[in-house]
Amino acid sequence: DEEHRFGVKQKDSIQEFNKSHKLSLTATPIPRSLNMALSKLRQLSIMSSPPKQRLPILTFVHEENDSIVKNALEREIHRGGQAYIVYNDVKSIDQVHKKLAKLCPHIQFGTVHGQMPVTAIEKQMARFHSQAFQVLIASTIIESGLDVANANTIIIYRADKLGLAQLHQIRGRVGRSHHQAYAYLLTPQSELG
């Protein structure tokens, strides 16, 4: 999944370790790798069927709206699940936490972002994984490496500020079990009419 974060120079230096065998795995086709495969410079195998009982993530694009957020969170918590809120402005993430806690007072929230000490991040993630709280408000730090099967709703604020590949990667934090997963991509309310 992280192949797109490396440049050609970094990949070449990794190849120096073993020139005879190389295996690349990716959940999303990286344009450079796809081009190499189509040019027959690299072989490509595609696994196009999802694991058994895996459902597609239902994805919605909406203008920011408290009732959509509240309904989505309440539906997920009511069915015993957990949710992510992606809010990528560390300066105001605590204000969003307070706003959401007021909007949904019966739901427990936690926060994590990249400016926290590593030990605090690990502790908070362990608490979320063990279901000590139901909703994790996070920066895009959750983009990779998380697998919380019980979290099946994600709400992404200011989705318009993220690229398609990043949105796809973040959206992939949910839908990792047999439960229906939901992704809400929120944009600012239009100033037009």
Side-chain angles (χ1 to χ4, degrees), residues 28-73:
T28 53
I30 309 306
R32 182 172 45 232
S33 300
L34 187 58
N35 183 34
M36 289 174 79
L38 294 174
S39 303
K40 300 198 187 309
L41 294 172
R42 182 185 272 188
Q43 287 184 330
L44 178 70
S45 267
I46 297 175
M47 292 186 286
S48 59
S49 56
K52 287 183 179 178
Q53 298 181 333
R54 185 79 51 98
L55 301 170
I57 301 166
L58 297 180
T59 305
F60 306 94
V61 179
H62 292 288
E63 290 183 345
E64 287 182 23
N65 181 315
D66 286 347
S67 66
I68 289 171
V69 172
K70 182 177 181 173
N71 291 337
L73 292 177

Side-chain angles (χ1 to χ4, degrees), residues 58-118:
L58 297 180
T59 305
F60 306 94
V61 179
H62 292 288
E63 290 183 345
E64 287 182 23
N65 181 315
D66 286 347
S67 66
I68 289 171
V69 172
K70 182 177 181 173
N71 291 337
L73 292 177
E74 287 179 347
R75 184 198 62 246
E76 187 62 47
I77 303 315
H78 179 71
R79 69 178 182 168
Q82 291 173 280
Y84 296 107
I85 300 276
V86 177
Y87 186 84
N88 206 32
D89 184 0
V90 174
K91 292 177 192 150
S92 57
I93 200 166
D94 289 331
Q95 294 168 348
V96 169
H97 185 154
K98 289 175 187 168
K99 176 185 171 186
L100 292 170
K102 197 174 188 179
L103 183 67
C104 304
H106 57 285
I107 295 176
Q108 296 171 305
F109 295 87
T111 305
V112 68
H113 57 78
Q115 293 181 11
M116 295 169 65
V118 174

